Amino acid sequence: MSNDLTIVGVETTILDVPLVRAHKFATTEMTAQPLLLVAIRTAAGTVGHGEGVVPGGPWWGGESVETMQALIERYMAPVLAGRRVNDITAIMADIEKVVARAQFAKAAVEIALHDAWARTLGVPVHTLLGGAFRRSIDVTWALGAAPAAEIIDEAIELLETRRHFSFKLKMGALDPETDTQRVVQIAQALHVKAGVRVDINARWDRLTALKYLPRLADGGVELIEQPTPGDQIEVLAELNQLLPVPVMADESVQSPHNALDVVRQRAADVIAIKTTKLGGLRRSRETVAIARAAGIACHGATSIEGPIGTAASIHFACAEPGIDFGSELFGPLLFEEELLTTPLRYADGQVHLPDGPGLGVELNPDAVKTWSRN
Ligand code: MN
């Protein structure tokens, strides 16, 4: 039967895709990004894809492509076998019975189910979410960790070619004094021309944050992302009260309930929504709903997804009015190698919703083969 939705296969492949330049985080640096491709095949021969991806390794949330592969193959695939790809709510509830947490791995599976279901119906994934509310979204670019002068040149070139109009800088790898001076120098050079945001990835303690964050705000930084440890919601709330610029919660919000904590304590003005860390499209939507009800903005954030994961996040951001604070869905631009037959379209500071059934993107099998780990 050509529309048979029964799941007959779940395959996973680890890829290591080289990046255009090293991407630096507070505690690690990567020159290639590992991706776990998850393919769910139906009896009709339709294949839906999802991507298990974390930013460079397990430092962010404890998961890696290797742990995701083991959890999916050994524990989730048996739950999927013989079920229908449109049985998503029940399947994810059953997976919850055998695998706790591991939201990045669950997101890969949940998104592959949506892709397979939408492809069977011949509709885009956003249709399953109620349709596209917008067709494109702003994309902030993550600047590298090179000396300030080089970073300023990179930003100015991107502004002149109209690829991006705002920028994010990673902090937390250097000592706070040097780091703050570097960022303020960049923010001042780009002042008026472009917005500059920082992400400290939860690396500063409260006293360091109290000392240096006001200097960043005075220096022209327009938004401060997750300065202090994720579970210290009250510290984030204290800093949010103190600072004249918006604070964004990322590590602090890994579940809808975490969003409720942020709302209760007014700990952030913006919440970073990653379809990966939140376990897929449906839990992302629950999280956005909580923020939106409380008047807190949401940002379409990234774990440096490849094109499959990025396409899923674009469908989500375009279907969800609550993603009202732009995005950083730049992942594919950081990859040196194109994995799609037709690349995602970035232009004029935005990324565009791809057309076509499912996620609207097609993997190039040769490229997938080239970058497969084994
Ligand atoms: Mn972040």
Side-chain angles (χ1 to χ4, degrees):
M1 222 166 83
S2 70
N3 62 350
D4 190 340
L5 295 165
T6 310
I7 296 167
V8 297
V10 179
E11 290 139 38
T12 65
T13 311
I14 293 177
L15 312 183
D16 293 291
V17 190
L19 302 182
V20 291
R21 63 157 158 72
H23 191 65
K24 202 169 172 60
F25 298 97
T27 63
T28 188
E29 185 178 289
M30 61 182 192
T31 53
Q33 166 73 319
L35 303 176
L36 178 73
L37 271 186
V38 177
I40 294 181
R41 190 178 304 275
T42 70
T46 302
V47 178
H49 283 104
E51 209 180 70
V53 55
V54 297
W59 69 279
W60 197 95
E63 287 181 74
S64 71
V65 289
E66 297 84 5
T67 69
M68 289 188 272
Q69 185 170 48
L71 288 175
I72 292 170
E73 291 201 346
R74 187 173 171 97
Y75 300 99
M76 299 190 201
V79 177
L80 290 160
R83 306 284 284 270
R84 291 157 56 95
V85 292
N86 64 353
D87 195 17
I88 299 176
T89 304
I91 289 173
M92 296 314 292
D94 288 342
I95 284 176
E96 207 58 38
K97 294 174 192 162
V98 291
V99 181
R101 294 183 278 274
Q103 300 303 337
F104 289 83
K106 288 171 185 168
V109 167
E110 196 249 23
I111 286 166
L113 289 168
H114 280 88
D115 187 34
W117 179 25
R119 283 176 192 273
T120 305
L121 296 172
V123 300
V125 164
H126 66 70
T127 298
L128 304 181
L129 303 174
F133 170 82
R134 53 174 81 85
R135 307 297 304 187
S136 61
I137 187 161
D138 291 350
V139 181
T140 293
W141 177 246
L143 292 166
E150 268 176 63
I151 296 292
I152 293 163
D153 287 347
E154 181 187 353
I156 286 172
E157 193 193 323
L158 290 166
L159 286 167
E160 282 171 356
T161 55
R162 301 184 57 79
R163 207 181 80 178
H164 301 281
F165 302 116
S166 75
F167 302 100
K168 167 164 157 175
L169 285 159
K170 289 289 190 181
M171 295 186 77
L174 306 174
D175 76 87
E177 181 67 38
T178 314
D179 220 3
T180 299
Q181 283 174 15
R182 180 183 76 99
V183 166
V184 167
Q185 189 187 345
I186 295 167
Q188 291 189 340
L190 297 176
H191 184 60
V192 184
K193 297 187 194 82
V196 173
R197 305 156 180 196
V198 295
D199 185 0
I200 300 151
N201 278 116
R203 296 297 139 179
W204 284 357
D205 60 25
R206 175 175 169 272
L207 290 178
T208 305
L210 284 169
K211 181 170 177 185
Y212 291 101
L213 294 182
R215 276 177 55 187
L216 290 172
D218 287 348
V221 169
E222 66 169 9
L223 174 137
I224 292 173
E225 179 175 344
Q226 197 71 49
T228 45
D231 55 2
Q232 296 177 4
I233 305 276
E234 64 292 335
V235 172
L236 200 62
E238 181 185 3
L239 297 168
N240 194 30
Q241 288 278 317
L242 175 81
L243 292 167
V245 296
V247 166
M248 179 149 73
D250 182 7
E251 281 85 339
S252 285
V253 179
Q254 301 189 41
S255 69
H257 189 269
N258 289 163
L260 193 57
D261 281 342
V262 165
V263 163
R264 283 184 176 135
Q265 300 195 44
R266 304 308 294 184
D269 304 297
V270 188
I271 292 178
I273 300 292
K274 296 173 177 166
T275 56
T276 50
K277 73 173 181 184
L278 288 165
L281 304 172
R282 288 146 349 99
R283 269 172 47 107
S284 295
R285 184 157 252 187
E286 290 171 27
T287 308
V288 173
I290 291 166
R292 190 163 155 78
I296 289 178
C298 289
H299 179 63
T302 184
S303 314
I304 321 292
E305 291 96 315
I308 298 288
T310 301
S313 293
I314 296 169
H315 279 266
F316 181 77
C318 287
E320 177 50 69
I323 302 291
D324 52 4
F325 200 84
S327 85
E328 55 175 7
L329 297 174
F330 59 74
L333 294 173
L334 202 56
F335 286 64
E336 197 174 329
E337 303 296 329
E338 181 57 57
L339 297 176
L340 300 179
T341 53
T342 305
L344 287 164
R345 188 157 72 87
Y346 289 87
D348 289 324
Q350 297 204 313
V351 65
H352 292 261
L353 184 63
D355 289 322
L359 293 171
V361 292
E362 303 301 329
L363 287 164
N364 173 348
D366 293 334
V368 170
K369 209 171 160 188
T370 301
W371 302 108
S372 290
R373 188 176 288 184
N374 30 37

